[in-house]
């Protein structure tokens, strides 16, 4: 009995402190999020100095402070690149106090960020305060699915129209708010604030596109404020932000592999010191391809990027901060891609088949770029940024162009596949099922060299006058670009599906010309803030001289004996104005109007694309809850079309007048994190986006461009889906993530028309599900796993350039990232 009493006394004495602690102490649990993007911020420092408690937010922005005495405390949160914040927290005995802290990006860090990456949403104005539509895809969001195809990542952004082509996203076709999507040629695409198209003024079709797999963020800007960037100001601008320079010594390694013998590696090494930083990055992505070439052969790709950049800057405390940034980029690609699709019957039999006649098709491309940028912070509110850039792009897409059966005339691959019964003999030749010694397959060497160079400078200053705040931005751009076509056609015979060279073409004996452009541009924007209002008037001026020197097919030496020249010149003022009313702390309304513009090309009589663009909407943001809705309307006075082979045309590259057109639509985004349902034991992000677009011609005319044909007033534009939606949901713990994205697209017309869509003139409506998951095994090591097209949905993604093309089938990827 005494032993039992002694044991009970000891137990009571030892447990008393724990009971006392449980009854008299509390817990603080919370999340740290970016006030602009709503994304969770890891590695933030949380300090409760009065209670001598400290914590660091985990990869989901979560933190917990235990054993905190009852009372009211000041919670201090700090993180590099963000403003410090202090939050009052009341702790009650035996309870858990829940807090959500929003951090605002620090203006102090702007010089380093601007000189390095030139954000189109950052700076002194945040995305959620712009008087226009804007979206950012953060690095954390990109990592969820580990996509290397930018088209899949952009499905979560409303207002975009995307057409798949090769399944890998090697040459994306992206439009914004109903603009043409062909080779992303109607929008301004940038990397770190620099136009990336090989020749953005004279030949904007993006046969080179920034390698998405090495990007850290994507920014999309629509509405009137996009006129700052140009020259394309109708739909919007997309800016890719490359890997930022490190703030300490860092080494990152990412390795993955998966279906179709795919392999990916990303190696990064960098270091920061008192007056600068540097980064070296190597990216390699390859796949064996998911299509099956008759009798075998490669259908995949191999793409490599090598990037180096560094920054030198004065000390932060210098009287006048200055920094200089240099970026060097080298990219090469070899892809066994083709313009040749399938007939409807062959697609239904095997959608992943490749005809034998495309066995020699291959794209070889090399891209090099040098960027040097200087920033001077004249005062705390005034800075000048000057950027010089130069790029060279060489590519030769060697691909089947036409067929010459014995006893018949030449047949292009597009008409052959659109009417296989009429051109049965040509189709049999391409499929390798018929043979005649005199049959010929014409394989064209689409050889082109591009250069693009320029100098642009921007001055930004902020000041207050009479109670009104102004942020004035103005800039100049001097730009030159050129495209040199020097092409030829080789003749092949085919027997038993095997192609043999029968005649080598003379280089320069086909398309043999130089397109060039010289441009001067100026912009001015004034962001005016007073009370709850923000007003942003602006104007852009473009002065463009376009020319062509055509040496002809009979003069490969370019002696000039048959030289023909043509020029076209355009000078235009592009005004815009937008306004926002911040009715409450978390709710704002915005509206704007601006002039849309696109350069016309060198063809005489071709007018620039012009339109009047309107938008209005509202934006609600409270902690992790966000709702955006925008209504847009575009009235084209002259819609331009481009004769691109990739769009089913002849490939001349000429632009042509398309008359009047109207585009209207609604885009919506709703996102929230339901983590409070689990007391933030788990993060439960949920994002829903939807876009409705109605795009029609408003005039009647006869077009030489086959996908348009004879246009009547009221015909719908091709390759613009009426309904597009995306749902993204996830469950994220301290060490693991599981995310799912479901995307839907309604059918798209492949030829202009109205009324019910004919099956032979449309793509398929389709639903595609992607899954991504990761596990943080150690603070340095993360394992990830993903499935694209989980349900293995088979659908017609496009009927251009020639024939039916499938979307990417189910693809499984697994890999790891190591950060040191």
């Amino acid at each position: 009995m005494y032993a039992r009493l002694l044991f009970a006394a000891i137990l009571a004495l030892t447990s008393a402190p724990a009971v006392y602690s449980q009854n008299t102490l509390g817990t603080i649990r919370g999340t740290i999020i970016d006030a602009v993007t709503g994304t969770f911020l890891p590695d933030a420092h949380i300090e409760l100095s009065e209670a001598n408690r400290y914590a660091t937010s985990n990869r989901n922005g979560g933190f917990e402070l235990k054993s905190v005495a009852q009372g009211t405390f000041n919670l201090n949160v700090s993180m590099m690149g963000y403003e410090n914040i202090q939050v009052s927290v009341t702790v009650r005995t035996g309870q858990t106090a829940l807090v959500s802290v929003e951090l605002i990006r620090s203006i102090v860090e702007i010089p380093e960020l601007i000189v390095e990456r030139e954000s189109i949403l950052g700076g002194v104005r945040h995305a959620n305060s712009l008087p226009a539509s804007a979206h950012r895809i953060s690095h954390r969001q990109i990592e969820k699915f580990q996509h290397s195809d930018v088209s899949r990542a952009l499905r979560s952004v409303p207002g975009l129209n995307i057409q798949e082509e090769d399944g890998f996203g090697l040459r994306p076709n992206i439009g914004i708010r109903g603009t043409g999507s062909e080779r992303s040629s109607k929008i301004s695409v940038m990397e770190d604030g620099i136009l990336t198209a090989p020749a953005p003024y004279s030949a904007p079709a993006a046969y080179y596109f920034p390698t998405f797999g090495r990007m850290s963020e994507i920014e999309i800007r629509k509405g009137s404020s996009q006129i700052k960037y140009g020259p394309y100001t109708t739909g919007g601008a997309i800016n890719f932000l490359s890997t930022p320079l490190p703030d300490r010594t860092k080494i990152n390694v990412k390795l993955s592999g998966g279906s179709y013998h795919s392999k990916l590696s990303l190696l990064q090494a960098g270091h920061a010191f008192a007056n600068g930083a540097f980064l070296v990055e190597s990216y390699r992505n390859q796949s064996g391809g998911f299509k099956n070439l008759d009798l075998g052969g490669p259908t995949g790709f191999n793409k490599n990027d090598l990037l180096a950049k560094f920054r030198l800057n004065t000390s932060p405390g210098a009287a006048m901060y200055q920094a200089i940034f240099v970026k060097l980029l080298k990219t090469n690609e070899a892809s066994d891609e083709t313009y040749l699709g399938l007939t409807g019957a062959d697609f239904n039999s095997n959608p992943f088949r490749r005809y034998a006649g495309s066995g020699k098709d291959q794209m070889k491309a090399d891209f090099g770029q040098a960027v040097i940028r200087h920033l001077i912070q004249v005062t705390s509110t005034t800075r000048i940024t000057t950027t010089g850039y130069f790029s060279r792009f060489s590519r030769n897409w060697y691909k089947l162009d036409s067929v010459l059966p014995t006893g018949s005339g030449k047949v292009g691959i597009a008409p052959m596949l659109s009417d296989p019964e009429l051109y049965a003999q040509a189709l049999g030749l391409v499929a390798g099922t018929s043979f005649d010694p005199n049959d010929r397959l014409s394989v064209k060497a689409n050889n082109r060299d591009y250069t693009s160079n320029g100098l642009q400078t921007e001055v930004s200053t902020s000041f207050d006058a009479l109670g009104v705040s102004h942020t004035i931005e103005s800039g100049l751009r001097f730009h030159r670009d050129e495209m040199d076509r020097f092409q030829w056609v080789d003749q092949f015979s085919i027997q038993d599906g095997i192609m043999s060279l029968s005649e080598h073409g003379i280089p320069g004996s086909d398309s043999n010309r130089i397109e060039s452009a010289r441009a001067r541009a100026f912009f001015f924007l004034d962001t005016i803030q007073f009370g709850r209002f923000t007003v942003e008037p602006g104007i852009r001026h473009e002065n463009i001289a376009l020319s062509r020197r055509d040496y002809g097919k009979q003069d490969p030496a370019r002696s000039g004996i048959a030289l023909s020249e043509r020029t076209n010149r355009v000078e235009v003022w592009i005004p815009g104005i937008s306004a926002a009313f911040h009715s409450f702390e978390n709710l704002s309304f915005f509206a704007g109007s601006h002039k849309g513009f696109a350069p016309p090309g060198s063809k005489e009589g071709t007018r620039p694309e012009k339109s009047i663009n309107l938008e209005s909407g509202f934006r609600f943001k409270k902690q992790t809850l966000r709702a955006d809705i925008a209504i847009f309307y575009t009235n084209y006075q002259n819609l331009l079309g481009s004769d691109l082979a990739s769009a089913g045309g002849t490939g001349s590259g000429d632009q042509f007048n398309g008359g009047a057109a109207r585009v209207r639509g609604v885009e919506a985004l709703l996102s929230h994190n339901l983590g409070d349902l689990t007391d933030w034991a788990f993060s439960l992000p949920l994002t829903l986006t939807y876009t409705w677009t109605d795009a029609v011609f408003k005039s009647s005319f006869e077009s030489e461009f086959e996908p348009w044909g004879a246009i009547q007033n009221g015909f719908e534009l091709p390759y613009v889906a009426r309904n597009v939606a995306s749902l993204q949901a996830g469950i994220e713990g301290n060490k693991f993530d599981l995310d799912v994205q479901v995307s839907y697209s309604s059918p798209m017309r492949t030829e202009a028309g109205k009324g019910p869509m004919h099956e032979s003139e449309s793509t398929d409506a389709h639903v595609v599900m992607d899954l991504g998951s990761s596990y943080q095994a150690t603070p340095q090591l993360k394992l990830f796993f993903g499935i694209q097209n989980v349900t293995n949905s088979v659908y017609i993604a496009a009927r251009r350039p020639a024939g039916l093309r499938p979307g990417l089938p189910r693809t499984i990827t697994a890999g790891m990232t190591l950060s040191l």
Side-chain angles (χ1 to χ4, degrees):
M1 182 178 65
Y2 289 111
R4 291 176 182 173
L5 289 174
L6 179 61
F7 176 76
I10 294 172
L11 181 62
L13 289 171
T14 56
S15 61
V19 173
Y20 174 81
S21 174
Q22 292 173 4
N23 292 334
T24 61
L25 301 178
T27 300
I28 300 175
R29 182 183 300 155
T31 53
I32 312 298
I33 62 177
D34 186 301
V36 176
T37 65
T39 55
F40 297 101
L41 298 176
D43 301 322
H45 180 68
I46 300 97
E47 179 180 348
L48 199 67
S49 56
E50 299 145 302
N52 197 28
R53 294 287 186 272
Y54 307 91
T56 300
S57 60
N58 60 29
R59 57 196 297 267
N60 293 308
F63 70 91
E64 188 174 64
L65 298 171
K66 296 182 178 180
S67 303
V68 180
Q70 180 173 302
T72 299
F73 303 92
N74 290 321
L75 189 71
N76 298 295
V77 182
S78 61
M79 183 176 178
M80 180 171 291
Y82 290 83
E83 296 179 3
N84 296 343
I85 191 171
Q86 188 176 85
V87 180
S88 179
V89 181
T90 299
V91 179
R92 293 183 173 85
T93 300
Q95 297 183 13
T96 298
L98 301 177
V99 295
S100 180
V101 182
E102 296 185 357
L103 296 186
I104 300 174
R105 292 180 182 268
S106 172
I107 296 177
V108 175
E109 294 296 320
I110 285 176
E112 289 82 358
L113 296 177
I114 287 178
V115 75
E116 178 192 344
R117 302 199 296 170
E118 191 71 18
S119 166
I120 67 173
L121 298 182
V124 295
R125 295 172 301 155
H126 297 296
N128 64 348
S129 64
L130 286 173
S133 298
H135 302 273
R136 172 184 272 115
I137 300 178
S138 69
H139 182 62
R140 176 67 189 279
Q141 291 170 305
I142 291 173
E143 281 193 321
K144 286 183 177 182
F145 297 96
Q146 299 288 342
H147 290 317
S148 58
D149 179 358
V150 67
S151 302
R152 305 186 89 86
L154 290 175
R155 287 174 176 173
S156 62
V157 179
L160 273 59
N161 41 294
I162 299 170
Q163 179 229 310
E164 295 179 68
E165 182 175 327
D166 52 54
F168 296 116
L170 296 174
R171 276 158 289 280
N173 298 290
I174 304 168
I176 299 178
R177 292 182 170 177
T179 65
S181 60
E182 300 88 359
R183 290 287 180 264
S184 308
S185 59
K186 288 298 186 69
I187 60 176
S188 295
V189 180
M190 297 171 282
E191 179 178 335
D192 296 332
I194 301 297
L195 293 170
T196 62
Y201 281 81
S202 62
Y207 289 90
Y208 167 80
F209 200 88
T211 303
F212 175 61
R214 59 175 177 81
M215 298 301 162
S216 65
E217 293 182 57
I218 314 175
E219 302 174 318
I220 301 96
R221 191 161 177 172
K222 296 170 278 187
S224 66
S225 59
Q226 68 173 289
I227 65 174
K228 172 182 176 181
Y229 304 101
Y232 303 90
T233 63
T234 302
I238 299 179
N239 187 37
F240 294 88
L241 296 178
S242 61
T243 306
L245 289 169
D247 54 12
R248 55 180 175 83
T249 301
K250 284 188 178 180
I251 297 175
N252 296 318
V253 178
K254 179 163 79 172
L255 301 172
S256 68
S259 303
Y260 313 111
H261 306 288
S262 64
K263 298 175 184 177
L264 185 148
S265 65
L266 176 64
L267 309 176
Q268 300 166 333
H271 175 68
F273 46 95
N275 294 99
F278 70 86
L279 174 74
V280 177
E281 182 176 73
S282 171
Y283 176 87
R284 180 182 179 89
N285 189 14
Q286 65 184 70
S287 171
F290 60 87
K291 295 179 182 177
N292 304 308
L293 188 63
D294 291 346
L295 300 183
T299 63
F301 71 93
N302 188 324
K303 190 172 185 180
N304 304 281
D305 282 29
L306 182 61
L307 178 146
K309 55 181 173 178
F310 67 87
R311 184 190 74 241
L312 296 175
N313 56 267
T314 59
S315 299
M320 189 175 293
Y321 179 90
Q322 295 189 62
I324 189 166
F325 167 78
V326 175
K327 173 182 172 183
L328 302 173
L329 173 64
K330 178 69 174 176
T331 299
N332 64 71
E333 174 196 335
S335 55
D336 302 301
E337 282 297 333
T338 180
Y339 274 14
L340 188 68
L342 297 170
T343 66
D346 288 334
F347 184 93
N348 292 332
S349 175
N350 179 7
F352 307 114
R353 179 186 176 187
R354 276 264 303 265
Y355 294 131
S358 66
K360 299 296 182 180
D361 291 12
Q362 186 182 60
M363 161 72 99
K364 289 186 177 181
D366 289 282
F367 177 82
Q369 183 189 61
V371 176
I372 181 167
R373 179 175 288 143
H374 174 262
L375 178 142
I376 179 170
Q377 192 79 26
V378 181
T379 69
S380 61
T381 59
T382 302
R383 66 173 181 268
I384 302 173
T385 308
T386 303
T387 306
Y389 56 90
F390 174 84
S391 68
R392 182 182 296 276
F393 178 58
S394 300
R395 62 93 156 176
N396 186 2
W397 199 336
Y398 194 67
K399 62 181 185 294
L400 181 67
D401 182 70
S402 59
V403 184
L404 187 61
T406 303
S408 301
K410 184 176 72 171
V411 181
I413 58 174
M416 177 190 69
L417 292 175
S418 63
D419 196 343
E421 293 185 2
L422 178 63
Y423 300 109
Q425 184 181 0
L427 181 61
L429 177 58
V430 169
T433 57
S434 63
F435 169 71
D436 187 292
N438 297 314
D439 289 340
R440 291 293 180 266
L441 298 177
S442 299
V443 180
K444 187 174 182 178
N446 291 270
N447 183 56
R448 306 180 195 181
D449 291 320
Y450 302 78
T451 59
S452 175
N453 59 83
L455 181 72
Q456 59 190 42
T457 187
E458 178 183 336
V459 180
S460 176
T461 185
S462 301
F463 61 91
D464 294 334
L466 302 176
V468 178
S469 173
H470 293 262
T471 298
I472 294 178
E473 299 169 282
S474 60
L476 293 169
R477 175 192 289 161
F478 300 93
H479 177 92
R480 297 180 63 177
D481 62 46
E482 179 181 283
M483 177 189 68
D484 185 344
R485 292 189 182 214
F486 196 68
Q487 302 176 350
W488 64 94
V489 178
D490 292 336
Q491 302 296 334
F492 284 81
S493 61
I494 185 169
Q495 183 175 7
D496 298 327
I498 300 175
M499 297 177 64
S500 302
L501 181 66
S502 56
E503 182 182 344
H504 196 295
I506 300 173
S509 61
D510 197 77
S511 186
N512 180 19
R513 65 177 190 259
I514 298 174
E515 300 269 1
S516 61
R518 294 186 179 186
R520 300 191 306 272
F522 162 81
F523 78 88
F524 175 89
L525 286 175
D526 185 7
T527 303
I528 307 168
Q529 294 179 309
F530 53 96
R532 294 185 175 182
F533 289 90
T534 300
V535 180
E536 188 177 72
I539 194 163
R540 182 179 187 85
H541 179 259
E542 290 275 0
N543 187 314
I544 309 169
L546 300 140
S547 63
R548 172 188 286 188
R549 295 171 58 85
D550 193 342
Y551 293 92
K553 299 180 180 181
Q554 307 303 317
D555 186 17
R558 293 185 170 178
S559 64
I561 57 174
L563 178 66
S564 66
E565 299 182 83
R566 71 188 196 191
T567 60
N568 198 2
R569 192 178 190 94
V570 60
E571 185 171 3
V572 61
W573 290 94
I574 307 168
I577 187 170
S578 59
F581 173 62
H582 309 281
S583 58
F584 300 100
E585 181 182 357
N586 303 307
L587 178 65
S588 62
F589 297 87
F590 60 87
S593 175
H594 73 282
K595 185 175 183 177
F597 169 80
S602 63
K603 186 178 180 180
E604 296 176 3
T606 304
R607 305 186 305 274
E609 184 172 276
K610 293 183 179 180
S611 63
I612 300 298
N613 302 267
L614 306 172
E615 77 163 353
S616 63
F618 75 85
R619 182 183 295 115
F620 178 82
K621 178 75 172 63
K622 185 176 182 181
Q623 295 183 350
T624 64
L625 176 63
R626 176 185 174 185
D628 293 5
I629 292 182
I631 300 171
F632 59 90
Y633 183 92
T634 301
N635 182 24
Y636 286 95
Q637 286 82 52
N638 183 47
L639 175 69
L640 280 180
S642 299
D643 184 19
L644 301 175
S646 61
T650 65
S652 70
D654 287 339
Q655 304 222 53
F656 50 88
N657 301 318
R662 182 214 66 209
V663 179
R664 60 183 179 179
V666 178
E667 53 190 44
L669 179 147
L670 176 66
S671 66
H672 189 38
N673 196 305
L674 305 177
D676 55 351
L677 299 178
T678 66
D679 284 340
W680 296 105
F682 297 100
S683 175
L684 303 173
L686 180 69
T687 301
L688 174 66
T689 63
Y690 171 73
T691 305
W692 174 79
T693 308
D694 177 38
V696 297
F697 289 99
K698 298 302 290 182
S699 59
S700 300
F701 61 96
E702 188 75 27
S703 173
E704 298 177 1
F705 184 50
E706 185 174 342
W708 286 9
I711 298 298
Q712 297 180 18
N713 190 338
F715 271 21
E716 294 180 349
L717 271 67
Y719 285 98
V720 178
R722 181 170 285 265
N723 297 286
V724 177
S726 172
L727 173 65
Q728 192 173 116
I731 176 170
E732 302 172 356
N734 189 34
K735 289 191 174 183
F736 77 94
D737 291 351
L738 178 63
D739 294 278
V740 175
Q741 177 174 287
V742 180
S743 304
Y744 166 78
S745 176
S746 62
M748 294 186 289
R749 292 186 183 275
T750 57
E751 297 182 16
K754 63 181 178 180
M757 293 188 194
H758 193 278
E759 185 178 294
S760 64
E761 298 178 353
S762 66
T763 63
D764 288 339
H766 56 273
V767 176
V768 176
M769 177 187 295
D770 292 347
L771 179 146
S773 63
S774 66
Y775 175 72
Q776 196 74 41
T778 72
Q780 294 79 31
L781 177 64
K782 182 172 74 172
L783 308 177
F784 60 85
F785 173 81
I787 306 177
Q788 299 178 71
N789 195 355
V790 174
T791 61
N792 204 26
S793 175
V794 177
Y795 57 94
I796 299 171
R799 292 179 181 268
R800 64 184 187 188
L804 278 65
R805 309 180 75 86
L808 181 74
R810 182 190 293 123
T811 303
I812 300 174
T813 304
M816 53 80 71
T817 59
L818 180 66
S819 301
L820 303 174

